[in-house]
Amino acid sequence: MRPTPATLITLLEQEDSHGGLLTLRLQNALRRLIAEGHIPPGDRLPSSRLLAHEAGVSRDTVESAYQQLELEGYLQRRSGSGTFAAETDHAFPLHKMDRKRANTPITASALSARGREVARSGGVQDHNDAHPFVILPDVEQFPSAIWRSLTNRVLSDISPRLLYADAQGLPELRSEIARYLATHRGVTCRPEQILILNSSQQALGLIATLLLEPGDTLAFENPGFHGARLGFEGAGLRFAPVPVDRDGLRTDRLTERAAGAKAVYVTPSHQYPTGATLSLERRLALIHWANENGSWIIEDDYDSEFRYDSRPISAIQGLDPSGRVLYLGTFSKVLFPSLRIAYLVLPESLMPAFVAARSLIDGHTATLPQAVLSRFMSEGHFTAHIRRMRDLYRGRRDAFLTAFEKHLAPYAQAQHPAGGLHIAAYLRNGLDEAETVKAAAAEKIELPTLGRLYFGRTGARKSGWLLGFAALSPHRAEAAMRRLARALKALG
């Protein structure tokens, strides 16, 4: 039976270099064996009891790993029969991909003409130098006392690194991010592949400038994130809207809707705004599409830490053997928005051009917050804060949905989000979206809408609201809903 204990132990030792919980290391090892075809579809895995005994781990560890991999679609568990590698109809399994093509190095020739010019310039070297329903985290819950203490410690240890900053970002912070991504997000990267930025918007601007030309076509989720859309529009790109359903981006529509697209922008872990999670089948299809077309996958992982009904889903980037995925992350939603620290994971060969371009834009991210964040992560405060906020937000989501059914169910149907900081609510009974916004404004309530996130005026366009719940106590959220319901009642 596969996997053999010797193979597993070897992989577990490799995973141990990233640190992290044993159950996460076991998940990564099994995921790798399945993805690379060492455990073919339909093969029976050892029982959790047997595997735990032979690999020298607890049975709970194996059970936890099996459950997560079943959730992600790698395993199928059959009552009375055992645990098997999933028998799917993947058209594009990773272990059968063209490895010769997948392993072709990404070179500077992949850059746009503007990107090549910026790379040749070498850049510059700087020296010494919440109100109801807004989608925000609850900053009042941030451990400011710990952050203040770490800031004082960093300030007492001023060094040349804090005066002459690296445009790519502090090495120690990049190392902490690489370790976190490997153990919690399934991202495969080295610190040298990480660029520290001020925001995801800045990352998107760099991608548009260095890898795409004005007039190029970009496949984009429909509906999709308005901020990203505006940024790409400013870069002169054309859009190919691709519909979204309960399993995320419709990859079967890419060829039809996005022929010739140079890139696709996706929010796969928690689609914005619908909250859908891109299925494993579609993740593999998306990777295949990018490889076949020489296109980029722009993976925006903006709030995947906050998943409430299961563990966070691993990133597409970790599934991609070819380096076609550009992975974005931010600390604005996890910690606090004014921190202004985000990051971009790139093929290492593209980093000189991106660092040069970044240095021309604003030099570097403020060094003091980078140093403080590095210690915040290395000392375990970051993951502890995520766990605490995940529990808090789960309770707030549940209370929010209960209050919504009580006060707003006659006017809209709320989706039950698996994660994130907001819910999508779709209007009932032909209510006019614009009229609901006006009614809410009369009660001094800002009501972000869904309609503006769609392309065109197609039949797929839906009217509704995006309602943030994370920054509101249950009491404040319900009070705001009562006021909104009172205003909507007048619309008939």
Side-chain angles (χ1 to χ4, degrees):
M1 287 185 293
R2 299 183 178 90
T4 65
T7 303
L8 260 182
I9 290 171
T10 299
L11 287 177
L12 284 173
E13 289 173 349
Q14 293 174 2
E15 292 290 341
D16 194 30
S17 64
H18 298 298
L21 297 174
L22 180 57
T23 185
L24 295 174
R25 288 159 44 202
L26 180 58
Q27 285 173 31
N28 291 338
L30 288 169
R31 191 182 289 114
R32 179 173 166 186
L33 287 171
I34 295 169
E36 294 180 356
H38 300 300
I39 306 177
D43 265 26
R44 186 172 184 269
L45 277 73
S47 68
S48 58
R49 185 187 302 277
L50 177 60
L51 183 55
H53 174 74
E54 294 189 342
V57 299
S58 75
R59 188 178 181 188
D60 286 345
T61 296
V62 178
E63 273 294 324
S64 180
Y66 276 6
Q67 289 171 10
Q68 178 66 16
L69 293 178
E70 181 185 24
L71 174 68
E72 295 184 11
Y74 288 93
L75 298 180
Q76 294 174 342
R77 309 192 78 182
R78 305 169 191 165
S79 179
S81 298
T83 301
F84 301 81
E87 291 193 54
T88 70
D89 58 349
H90 291 339
F92 317 110
L94 287 177
H95 63 281
K96 291 185 179 179
M97 284 187 180
D98 185 343
R99 291 289 168 174
K100 184 177 180 180
R101 178 181 296 172
N103 292 327
T104 301
I106 304 298
T107 67
S109 63
L111 298 169
S112 68
R114 289 172 299 166
R116 292 192 292 272
E117 187 63 33
V118 170
R120 282 193 295 270
S121 76
V124 297
Q125 300 297 320
D126 287 336
H127 298 283
N128 201 27
D129 278 21
H131 53 274
F133 308 140
V134 172
I135 304 171
L136 289 172
D138 188 345
V139 296
E140 293 183 2
Q141 302 298 320
F142 182 73
S144 54
I146 293 174
W147 190 266
R148 183 165 53 250
S149 174
L150 292 174
T151 301
N152 290 336
R153 284 164 51 190
V154 170
L155 287 172
S156 68
D157 187 29
I158 287 291
S159 70
R161 289 179 304 165
L162 299 185
L163 301 174
Y164 300 92
D166 185 340
Q168 188 174 348
L170 287 186
E172 55 265 45
L173 177 57
R174 289 190 278 114
S175 294
E176 289 299 329
I177 292 173
R179 185 176 297 112
Y180 170 76
L181 292 178
T183 56
H184 294 275
R185 299 298 305 120
V187 171
T188 303
C189 71
R190 302 168 62 238
E192 292 77 11
Q193 293 176 251
I194 295 175
L195 175 62
I196 305 298
L197 298 166
N198 291 332
S199 67
S200 296
Q201 289 293 120
Q202 188 176 52
L204 296 175
L206 286 172
I207 292 169
T209 299
L210 300 179
L211 297 177
L212 304 170
E213 303 282 4
D216 279 349
T217 298
L218 174 73
F220 202 88
E221 296 169 324
N222 187 28
F225 178 44
H226 194 56
R229 178 176 170 180
L230 290 177
F232 287 128
E233 283 179 347
L237 300 181
R238 298 178 179 177
F239 293 96
V242 180
V244 170
D245 64 16
R246 61 185 298 173
D247 290 319
L249 184 81
R250 288 280 304 275
T251 52
D252 61 317
R253 306 292 290 277
L254 272 172
T255 302
E256 169 196 341
R257 297 290 183 92
K262 297 295 182 63
V264 57
Y265 172 83
V266 288
T267 52
S269 294
H270 183 238
Q271 201 277 330
Y272 191 97
T274 67
T277 298
L278 191 66
S279 67
L280 177 61
E281 180 76 19
R282 294 186 182 181
R283 289 170 188 242
L284 297 177
L286 194 58
I287 293 170
H288 175 80
W289 174 85
N291 275 286
E292 287 295 303
N293 292 278
S295 302
W296 301 102
I297 299 171
I298 305 169
E299 180 177 11
D300 192 343
D301 207 21
Y302 66 99
D303 69 356
S304 62
E305 289 85 1
F306 299 127
R307 192 170 180 87
Y308 309 123
D309 301 325
S310 64
R311 292 185 179 178
I313 300 298
S314 298
I316 294 176
Q317 193 272 0
L319 295 171
D320 173 34
S322 63
R324 306 302 308 182
V325 178
L326 312 172
Y327 179 88
L328 288 70
T330 177
F331 293 97
S332 294
K333 298 291 192 296
V334 183
L335 299 180
F336 54 93
S338 63
L339 180 60
R340 309 311 296 156
I341 296 181
Y343 53 89
L344 177 61
V345 180
L346 298 162
E348 200 168 337
S349 60
L350 300 185
M351 190 58 73
F354 274 77
V355 172
R358 195 285 159 79
S359 72
L360 290 170
I361 294 171
D362 65 352
H364 59 82
T365 298
T367 312
L368 179 60
Q370 287 189 73
V372 176
L373 177 57
S374 174
R375 296 196 185 188
F376 191 76
M377 297 181 76
S378 67
E379 296 182 12
H381 305 299
F382 179 68
T383 52
H385 179 64
I386 289 175
R387 287 194 299 270
R388 190 167 67 90
M389 298 309 290
R390 188 182 293 139
D391 290 341
L392 176 70
Y393 292 158
R394 180 191 296 112
R396 288 187 175 180
R397 177 204 62 178
D398 294 344
F400 192 97
L401 289 170
T402 298
F404 188 99
E405 287 301 310
K406 180 178 178 182
H407 300 287
L408 298 176
Y411 311 104
Q413 179 181 5
Q415 299 296 102
H416 187 286
L421 307 178
H422 72 270
I423 68 164
Y426 300 97
L427 295 183
R428 298 182 189 271
N429 305 324
L431 277 177
D432 182 83
E433 193 178 71
E435 290 299 319
T436 66
V437 171
K438 290 180 182 177
E443 288 287 338
K444 295 183 171 53
I445 294 174
E446 181 178 336
L447 207 53
T449 58
L450 278 170
R452 64 193 173 91
L453 304 181
Y454 286 84
F455 286 86
R457 298 185 177 279
T458 66
R461 190 184 187 98
K462 296 182 180 179
S463 297
W465 314 314
L466 283 182
L467 305 178
F469 61 81
L472 297 175
S473 68
H475 174 75
R476 287 186 61 205
E478 184 164 9
M481 287 185 210
R482 281 197 297 267
R483 288 160 47 207
L484 178 58
R486 185 167 58 243
L488 295 175
K489 188 176 182 180
L491 297 178

